[in-house]
Amino acid sequence: GEDVEQSLFLSVREGDSSVINCTYTDSSSTYLYWYKQEPGAGLQLLTYIFSNMDMKQDQRLTVLLNKKDKHLSLRIADTQTGDSAIYFCAAFYGQNFVFGPGTRLSVLP
Amino acid sequence: KAGVTQTPRYLIKTRGQQVTLSCSPISGHRSVSWYQQTPGQGLQFLFEYFSETQRNKGNFPGRFSGRQFSNSRSEMNVSTLELGDSALYLCASSNPGTGVFTGELFFGEGSRLTVL
C-alpha cells in the first residue's frame, strides 16, 4: 500500500540549514509535495516536484528526490524563527494524496 | 480571491451526539477533500467530492459521511460521536482538470472538534 514516513521532530539554530527527510513506499506517485502548517492554521503548499525530476530550487528551499531509494528531502537555507512549523511530505497517486505524519521544526534563537 | 472557509472553527460535543461541519471552497474549485488530523495519527484522508459525487473514500467507519452541493460547498457529518473523534478536521479544495494539474490543495483553517 501507499505510505509516507517522516521523522517527527527537528531542532536547528537560527541561520543554520534545516533538512527534513521523507520516505515513501509506492514509486508510482506522479508528484511529491511539501506542505507547511503554522500553529492554528491549515496546510499551505511550499513546493512540489515532478517524479521525473531530481532537484528543484525555489529561493531558500531545495527539494531533492532520489527515486531509487524513494527518498525526498526539503532543505531550508538560513532557517529563521518564522520557519518554525510542521512540515508535511505528501505523495500524489492518481486522485489520491497520502500525507506523512509531519515533522515539527523548532528554530532556536 | 477568498480562501477555503470552514465553519465552525471550534466546537465541543458529548459522546453519542452528532456533528455537521461545513466547508466553502475557493470560488471555481470543484473538488473538496476532507482530512482528520490528530497528534497520534497525523493527517488521515476521509473522502473527496467532485461535482457532487464522492470520488474517493478513506478508511473510516460509516459514521463519517459527507456530501457536496451544486455550488461545490461541502458538509461532513459524524454520527454517534466517540472520544477518539476529537481532532482537527481540515477541508481542502482544488480544481483538477484545468490544464496542467500541479495537485495543489488549498486548505482551510480547520474545525477543531472536542468530544467529551
Side-chain angles (χ1 to χ4, degrees), chain B residues 9-21:
Chain B
R9 289 291 313 279
Y10 303 92
L11 66 167
I12 299 173
K13 294 283 187 180
T14 55
R15 278 183 299 174
Q17 286 187 310
Q18 67 95 25
V19 67
T20 299
L21 308 177

Side-chain angles (χ1 to χ4, degrees), chain A residues 31 33 35 37 40-45 48 50 86 88 92 94-97 99-101, chain B residues 9 35 37 42-43 45 48 55-56 88 90 100-110:
Chain A
Y31 302 86
Y33 306 85
Y35 280 84
Q37 185 180 35
L43 280 68
Q44 182 180 12
L45 180 68
Y48 66 91
F50 293 111
I86 302 175
F88 290 89
F92 181 64
Q95 295 176 340
N96 197 27
F97 288 86
F99 284 83
Chain B
R9 289 291 313 279
Y35 291 85
Q37 185 180 14
L43 215 63
F45 172 72
E48 185 229 354
R55 203 162 60 163
N56 275 303
L88 180 67
L90 291 165
V100 176
F101 176 55
T102 61
E104 180 171 3
L105 294 175
F106 295 83
F107 282 84
E109 293 181 316

Side-chain angles (χ1 to χ4, degrees), chain A:
Chain A
E2 304 138 353
D3 196 17
V4 177
E5 298 288 338
Q6 300 175 242
S7 52
L8 298 182
F9 301 98
L10 177 65
S11 187
V12 300
R13 293 232 172 255
E14 193 174 13
D16 288 349
S17 291
S18 309
V19 179
I20 303 171
N21 294 300
C22 166
T23 57
Y24 55 98
T25 55
D26 190 335
S27 59
S28 67
S29 65
T30 50
Y31 302 86
L32 294 143
Y33 306 85
W34 285 103
Y35 280 84
K36 176 183 180 183
Q37 185 180 35
E38 295 180 352
L43 280 68
Q44 182 180 12
L45 180 68
L46 273 181
T47 186
Y48 66 91
I49 188 168
F50 293 111
S51 58
N52 62 357
M53 295 170 64
D54 297 325
M55 186 183 93
K56 181 178 181 182
Q57 187 146 7
D58 186 359
Q59 298 181 331
R60 292 192 296 124
L61 305 178
T62 303
V63 178
L64 294 177
L65 175 59
N66 182 327
K67 281 200 75 173
K68 176 175 166 288
D69 294 338
K70 298 176 195 163
H71 182 265
L72 183 73
S73 68
L74 173 70
R75 178 177 180 268
I76 305 173
D78 187 25
T79 312
Q80 302 298 307
T81 53
D83 295 324
S84 293
I86 302 175
Y87 291 80
F88 290 89
C89 169
F92 181 64
Y93 299 98
Q95 295 176 340
N96 197 27
F97 288 86
V98 178
F99 284 83
T103 299
R104 184 179 294 274
L105 174 64
S106 297
V107 182
L108 308 173

Side-chain angles (χ1 to χ4, degrees), chain B residues 37-55:
Chain B
Q37 185 180 14
T38 57
Q41 297 294 319
L43 215 63
Q44 302 288 315
F45 172 72
L46 280 155
F47 26 65
E48 185 229 354
Y49 287 87
F50 181 82
S51 294
E52 301 179 68
T53 301
Q54 187 181 87
R55 203 162 60 163

